[in-house]
Amino acid sequence: MPVPTSHASQAAAATSPARRPTCRGLALAGLATAQFMVILDSSIVNVALPSIRRGLDLTPAQLSWVVDGYLVAFAGLLLLGGRLADVFGRRAVLLGGLAAFTAASAVCALAPNGPVLVGARIAQGAGGAVMAPAALSIVMTLFPDGPARSRALGVWGGVSGAGGIAGVLLGGILSQTLGWPWIFVINVPVALAVGAVVLAAVRPFPAAGGTFDIAGAVTVTLAMAGLALGVVEGSDAGWTAAVTLTALASGIAALAAFVALERRVARPLVPLPVLTRPRLAIANAIMLMLGAAAAGVFYFLPQYQQNVLGMSPMTTSLTQLPIALTVTAGGLLAPRIAAALGIRIALTTALAWLVAGLAWLARADPHAHFLDGLLGPFLLIGAGIGTAFVYITSLAVAGSAPGEAGLVSGLVNTARQMGGAVGLAALVALATGTAPGHQPNLTAAFLGASVLAALALLLSLTAALHRGETGTSVPSHERAPRGWAVTPRR
């Protein structure tokens, strides 16, 4: 999952003098490991979901909140996390987020029931949303513009890819050999080591002071939570049930309150005029759809492999490695593909791969061999996701004004997380609402994800019609835009 710094953090990082530690290499190792933990935690849980459901006797709706609780908190607080780093000091905020993430991981491992686990996952998401942008902001400060920064960001992107791969692999190994709680236990010693390295190698940054939009962060988080809960409960309790109507009404009211607040505050979390720019509006809409499709496939795929195909957790992990590797390779090769095809053609091609892969997966023969029935769609899905995320972010940033790159990339990446949170809830509702029994209808879930990807594909065709009002637009026939090196990859 790409994690941006806030626009203020990025601007300050680029201009403030670096308070360099004794060993910048050691500092980078600790900061990159913090990013590794965030990415690892977003992928390690998926493979263990069937084991968690059996261990805690969860319903499909309850199980969805093990993932959605994390996504809602992470998406709602991500931009606020970057601003907190500016106001209170980057190292202090990083260590605070790391402490919250570590404590929540321990509670997850000890959770005796679903509500405790979901609550701890929400706290994990909040800790990650504070920790990740603060860590990246410190990296941007310690390594000024030039080859040193490029190398540091190359390490950052490589570690992000490694975190996704390691999460897929460890999720199955740990849940099968030691039990699902160990997917959370593993965070604790790693986080303690990261904290020790940061304290030793990163000097405190002065707090810049100022204000931050806590009301905006709370209302947008409540809006996502209400809408996601309402959609899930609609398929579980009924669309006219009191809990469903209350949740949906609360979500809509919180969303209206968020818009009203953002229009009035001096320093809004999300500057609303920026969102109305055609290029950014289209990019955010595409990212919402793509985030929903990606969250859905990674949530339902382990359940399909283990509950339908009868694979063990470890076999599930090993067979999902082609997706993780292709996602990482897609991020690395995206600039070359865009240079050859033009970024807009490259984006529509990537989304077409994703649509084809999801549709193929929905119609896969459960009795077919892995090489015949799953490898093909897995490779298409991985290639589509790995390249499309890079292109959408780059298209949005290319149309921004000077000094707005951090803000725009943060908004687009937040849209991805929001799409994942609400979109996953919609796909869970679709899968449970069309299920003939107690098991979710996974074919419907994969088809639903393919429809979302197809909508993103249709929206991508309109991107050529809208050039940003400010900044330099990306020519459709030229090389990839500048700034590829700073685009975080999954």
Side-chain angles (χ1 to χ4, degrees):
M1 111 189 20
V3 179
T5 182
S6 72
H7 57 291
S9 294
Q10 199 171 52
T15 58
S16 62
R19 298 173 59 87
R20 298 186 179 181
T22 303
C23 180
R24 287 194 299 165
L26 180 61
L28 179 60
L31 296 168
T33 304
Q35 170 72 354
F36 178 89
M37 287 176 55
V38 174
I39 301 298
L40 177 77
D41 202 69
S42 68
S43 58
I44 197 172
V45 173
N46 290 318
V47 177
L49 286 172
S51 300
I52 293 173
R53 181 182 178 184
R54 289 191 297 270
L56 298 180
D57 193 24
L58 304 179
T59 66
Q62 292 169 334
L63 183 68
S64 70
W65 279 99
V66 175
V67 174
D68 235 357
Y70 182 96
L71 289 176
V72 166
F74 192 93
L77 301 175
L78 184 57
L79 290 175
L80 178 66
R83 178 61 183 152
L84 291 176
D86 295 335
V87 173
F88 295 110
R90 298 182 185 94
R91 193 184 81 156
V93 170
L94 169 62
L95 292 173
L98 182 65
F101 187 89
T102 306
S105 297
V107 175
C108 286
L110 298 172
N113 53 49
V116 173
L117 177 59
V118 170
R121 286 286 287 165
I122 293 172
Q124 258 193 328
V130 172
M131 175 173 64
L136 180 55
S137 180
I138 294 173
V139 171
M140 299 290 284
T141 304
L142 296 179
F143 295 88
D145 286 325
R149 176 176 286 186
S150 296
R151 288 192 296 270
L153 290 171
V155 171
W156 188 270
V159 165
S160 297
I165 295 169
V168 169
L169 190 59
L170 290 175
I173 293 175
L174 291 176
S175 59
Q176 182 169 329
T177 57
L178 299 175
W180 66 262
W182 281 86
I183 67 173
F184 301 110
V185 171
I186 193 174
N187 288 331
V188 176
V190 176
L192 293 175
V194 169
V197 170
V198 170
L199 285 171
V202 179
R203 295 176 183 174
F205 288 84
T211 61
F212 51 92
D213 186 14
I214 185 67
V218 170
T219 51
V220 74
T221 303
L222 290 176
M224 282 189 295
L227 293 174
L229 178 62
V231 171
V232 171
E233 289 298 327
S235 64
D236 193 35
W239 292 102
T240 59
V243 64
T244 302
L245 296 176
T246 301
L248 291 174
S250 299
I252 294 171
L255 184 60
F258 170 73
V259 173
L261 285 168
E262 297 305 279
R263 287 176 174 170
R264 294 190 307 176
V265 296
R267 185 156 190 164
L269 188 70
V270 178
L272 296 181
V274 176
L275 293 179
T276 62
R277 297 175 185 173
R279 179 190 291 273
L280 183 57
I282 293 170
N284 280 332
I286 294 172
M287 192 64 93
L288 283 168
M289 299 296 177
L290 185 57
V297 70
F298 290 126
Y299 175 82
F300 286 109
L301 188 55
Q303 299 178 59
Y304 173 70
Q305 292 180 264
Q306 295 178 48
N307 298 338
V308 177
L309 303 184
M311 293 183 180
S312 67
M314 192 176 300
T315 302
T316 299
S317 289
L318 293 173
T319 53
Q320 282 194 22
L321 278 179
I323 299 182
L325 292 170
T326 310
V327 167
T328 302
L332 294 172
L333 295 175
R336 296 184 181 182
I337 299 172
L341 301 179
I343 189 168
R344 292 191 182 93
I345 295 176
L347 173 58
T348 55
T349 302
L351 292 173
W353 289 339
L354 180 58
V355 172
L358 290 170
W360 186 354
L361 182 61
R363 297 301 184 186
D365 182 0
H367 303 291
H369 191 271
F370 171 75
L371 295 177
D372 299 329
L374 293 181
L375 182 60
F378 280 13
L379 294 176
L380 286 173
I381 291 169
I385 290 175
T387 53
F389 279 135
V390 177
Y391 297 143
I392 298 167
T393 304
S394 296
L395 273 172
V397 172
S400 62
E404 286 187 343
L407 167 63
V408 171
S409 63
L411 292 174
V412 173
N413 280 285
T414 300
R416 174 187 176 179
Q417 306 301 329
M418 290 182 175
V422 180
L424 176 59
L427 291 173
V428 169
L430 175 65
T432 55
T434 60
H438 296 291
Q439 294 296 330
N441 185 343
L442 300 177
T443 298
F446 293 136
L447 285 175
S450 70
V451 170
L452 290 170
L455 291 174
L457 174 59
L458 291 175
L459 285 172
S460 74
L461 298 176
T462 68
L465 303 176
H466 301 280
R467 297 182 183 274
E469 290 88 342
T470 58
T472 303
S473 59
V474 183
S476 60
H477 60 283
E478 293 185 3
R479 63 177 175 82
R482 295 178 63 186
W484 288 101
V486 302
T487 304
R489 292 183 284 269
R490 183 181 184 274

